[in-house]
Amino acid sequence: MDPRIQPIFDEVLRRNAGEVEFHQAVLEVFESLGRVIAKHPQYAEVSILERICEPERQIIFRVPWVDDAGRVQINRGFRVEFNSALGPYKGGLRFHPSVYLGTIKFLGFEQLFKNALTGMPIGGGKGGSDFDPKGKSTGEVMRFCQSFMTELYRHIGEYTDVPAGDIGVGGREIGYLFGQYKRITNRYESAVLTGKGVGWGGSLVRTEATGYGTAFFADEMLKTRSESFEGKRVLVSGSGNVAIYAIEKVHQLGGVVVACSDSSGVVYDDSGVDLELLRQIKEVERGRLADYAERRGSSSDYRAGGNIWSISAATRIDVALPCATQNELDETDARVLADNGVLAVAEGANMPSTPEAVRVFSEASVLFGPGKAVNAGGVATSALEMQQNASRDSWSFDNTEQRLVEIMRGIHERCATTAEEYGEPGNYVLGANIAGFTRVADAMLAFGVV
Ligand code: GLU
């Protein structure tokens, strides 16, 4: 790390003790910024780096709710409003038992650069709760969402902060959250949340956008080596919203996704994952991946507790799309993939590769797309949803998907040209970090010390 940046990082460690994922996200960005600070000393003069690491506002609140047995349950709610230099805070809500302040801060920090990279007028924020939706009844999920919004509503608004979904928060939860917001405020303020149902202010393609965008970005990466998805064998970790639509688009682009996973195990399906069956199990029944292999029969194989990346040691894998969660792909996994000839890795999830894994890919000249660029299609389509809400309009699927394609090409282009400008062609990590950072930093410079 640049010696001018090291003391700023040390201070981040001291001020945010124990928040290891946040440290990791900051480190990754800071490692890219040495040359930027050298070229633009004005950023250092007004402490842009120090300011960018300190969220503008952090809200932590109690979420009491009553379970089906009549017992009172308590969860913790978070909204970290990281940076509003480019627009209202924008980012999803994550409901998962592992969530603590450090998770939300890492996600909010990533989000602010991701949103800047899209070129759209959105700041960065993130929220969530340690609530575990797994095994909860629909009534319990609804009561939790209503209680969560009973506090959150006073902090959000279409010009202030616009939450959406993330892990554990999909269309159902956004519906309950929007219903409660509307009831409390007596306002039909469509653009206060994105990821809404298409019948009540949602945008076509928003559901598919993160996964589709991931495949589009990976396709752009492949093109730089005169390759495409045609005939490629692909691993997609996860089996949630991002994974499902990444698989769908890879199949449409001519690739074959031979495996996916959930937190309990891995499904290997040599003839290609059966998307209809996967969607039935995960989206309709909210079931487990183990059921997939049981219903699919002999062509597929389920390994409880298996590691999806190790599949590349046994069969040819060309592309890997980690679409599950943070730090799911470590140095050993990266070595297995690289040693067995993987061509490209594109992160559909937020920070799924550890820093050591990223180093392995870079040393092996594997095309590597970081999450803040690759998965930005989700939030970009949220911004399109806000545009439609503002104009009280709704666009066709094809028109919206075309906008998404152009946005992903734009992000790829921005990363590639910035990496080249800073002397490291093909380094998407550097390109994404610098392009995202400079857009935010320039706006902060313009605003003075606020
Ligand atoms: N949670 C998604 C992300 O990580 C989407 C956020 C949004 O649409 O606001 O980017």
Side-chain angles (χ1 to χ4, degrees):
M1 191 186 294
D2 187 283
R4 280 163 297 191
I5 299 181
Q6 186 67 50
I8 306 173
F9 184 63
D10 293 341
E11 184 63 6
V12 168
L13 296 181
R14 195 191 65 76
R15 286 169 76 86
N16 304 279
E19 297 172 357
V20 289
E21 298 85 357
F22 179 52
H23 302 165
Q24 183 182 333
V26 173
L27 178 67
E28 196 230 274
V29 172
F30 274 14
E31 279 179 336
S32 299
L33 296 184
R35 271 168 280 180
V36 181
I37 295 300
K39 205 168 162 183
H40 302 281
Q42 68 272 31
Y43 294 148
E45 279 158 24
V46 289
S47 302
I48 296 283
L49 261 61
E50 291 87 333
R51 279 194 275 154
I52 221 165
C53 294
E54 186 68 19
E56 290 175 14
R57 192 176 296 110
Q58 306 185 55
I59 302 146
I60 305 180
F61 51 99
R62 181 172 70 195
V63 189
W65 56 282
V66 180
D67 69 17
D68 286 347
R71 281 185 304 255
V72 175
Q73 302 278 350
I74 309 293
N75 285 103
R76 189 170 288 175
F78 303 91
R79 187 72 185 167
V80 173
E81 297 180 333
F82 229 106
N83 194 296
S84 59
L86 297 176
Y89 308 106
K90 182 82 197 84
L93 299 169
R94 178 175 291 191
F95 292 171
H96 192 271
S98 66
V99 163
Y100 74 111
L101 183 60
T103 321
I104 303 299
K105 275 165 73 177
F106 118 65
L107 289 165
F109 190 74
E110 288 275 299
Q111 195 82 44
L112 105 91
F113 300 104
K114 179 195 310 193
N115 295 3
L117 259 183
T118 65
M120 298 165 109
I122 41 179
K126 203 87 187 191
S129 174
D130 58 0
F131 175 73
D132 185 0
K134 218 173 270 171
K136 301 290 190 297
S137 71
T138 305
E140 289 175 323
V141 170
M142 181 183 74
R143 290 193 295 280
F144 173 80
C145 288
Q146 290 175 338
S147 179
F148 187 86
M149 185 53 85
T150 300
E151 171 59 33
L152 189 68
Y153 88 95
R154 70 190 82 243
H155 307 290
I156 63 176
E158 65 173 310
Y159 296 108
T160 312
D161 184 355
V162 183
D166 196 84
I167 292 172
V169 178
R172 175 181 65 169
E173 290 74 21
I174 294 295
Y176 295 144
L177 292 164
F178 186 71
Q180 184 73 349
Y181 182 86
K182 185 173 77 61
R183 185 174 190 194
I184 294 175
T185 60
N186 192 30
R187 282 163 63 88
Y188 205 108
E189 189 184 334
S190 295
V192 69
L193 289 171
T194 60
K196 299 182 293 296
V198 287
W200 40 276
S203 172
L204 288 164
V205 193
R206 177 61 192 91
T207 307
E208 296 85 353
T210 315
Y212 277 19
T214 297
F216 291 144
F217 193 96
D219 195 39
E220 291 298 313
M221 288 166 59
L222 291 170
K223 280 187 203 157
T224 66
R225 301 222 175 141
S226 307
E227 291 278 4
S228 75
F229 266 115
E230 198 58 54
K232 295 288 183 297
R233 288 168 58 83
V234 183
L235 297 176
V236 175
S237 64
S239 48
N241 168 269
V242 182
I244 284 173
Y245 293 99
I247 295 171
E248 182 166 274
K249 191 48 75 181
V250 167
H251 284 175
Q252 288 172 11
L253 293 172
V256 185
V257 176
V258 295
C260 64
S261 61
D262 68 7
S263 54
S264 311
V266 178
V267 152
Y268 177 71
D269 197 331
D270 196 60
S271 55
V273 169
D274 178 342
L275 202 60
E276 212 172 301
L277 178 59
L278 182 66
R279 289 185 60 175
Q280 171 66 24
I281 290 168
K282 299 300 289 191
E283 289 183 336
V284 181
E285 300 168 21
R286 295 178 187 274
R288 310 295 304 161
L289 206 53
D291 301 340
Y292 174 96
E294 229 163 74
R295 282 164 43 188
R296 175 85 159 142
S298 57
S299 87
S300 84
D301 165 38
Y302 176 75
R303 289 172 218 162
N307 176 323
I308 188 167
W309 313 117
S310 65
I311 289 173
S312 64
T315 181
R316 193 193 96 219
I317 295 299
D318 307 298
V319 179
L321 305 177
C323 295
T325 194
Q326 67 268 17
N327 292 327
E328 55 160 306
L329 193 164
D330 66 14
E331 185 175 7
T332 313
D333 302 326
R335 273 194 211 292
V336 175
L337 285 163
D339 289 351
N340 289 286
V342 77
L343 190 61
V345 177
E347 296 186 323
N350 291 312
M351 209 170 76
S353 310
T354 64
E356 297 76 25
V358 178
R359 216 158 290 140
V360 170
F361 292 136
S362 151
E363 281 162 17
S365 298
V366 172
L367 288 165
F368 176 77
K372 61 171 79 71
V374 173
N375 71 42
V379 75
T381 308
S382 278
L384 298 181
E385 183 172 331
M386 292 163 72
Q387 280 184 34
Q388 291 169 77
N389 293 153
S391 58
R392 300 183 188 278
D393 195 3
S394 54
W395 308 341
S396 70
F397 191 95
D398 288 350
N399 174 30
T400 317
E401 187 180 19
Q402 197 44 44
R403 295 285 298 264
L404 173 62
V405 170
E406 284 156 20
I407 290 165
M408 296 315 297
R409 281 200 191 123
I411 296 171
H412 180 272
E413 177 70 18
R414 227 160 275 147
C415 294
T417 50
T418 308
E420 223 169 283
E421 190 188 319
Y422 280 83
E424 289 196 36
N427 187 340
Y428 292 102
V429 174
L430 189 87
N433 287 336
I434 296 181
F437 171 80
T438 48
R439 191 167 170 238
V440 179
D442 287 341
M444 289 174 73
L445 261 185
F447 297 153
V449 180
V450 290

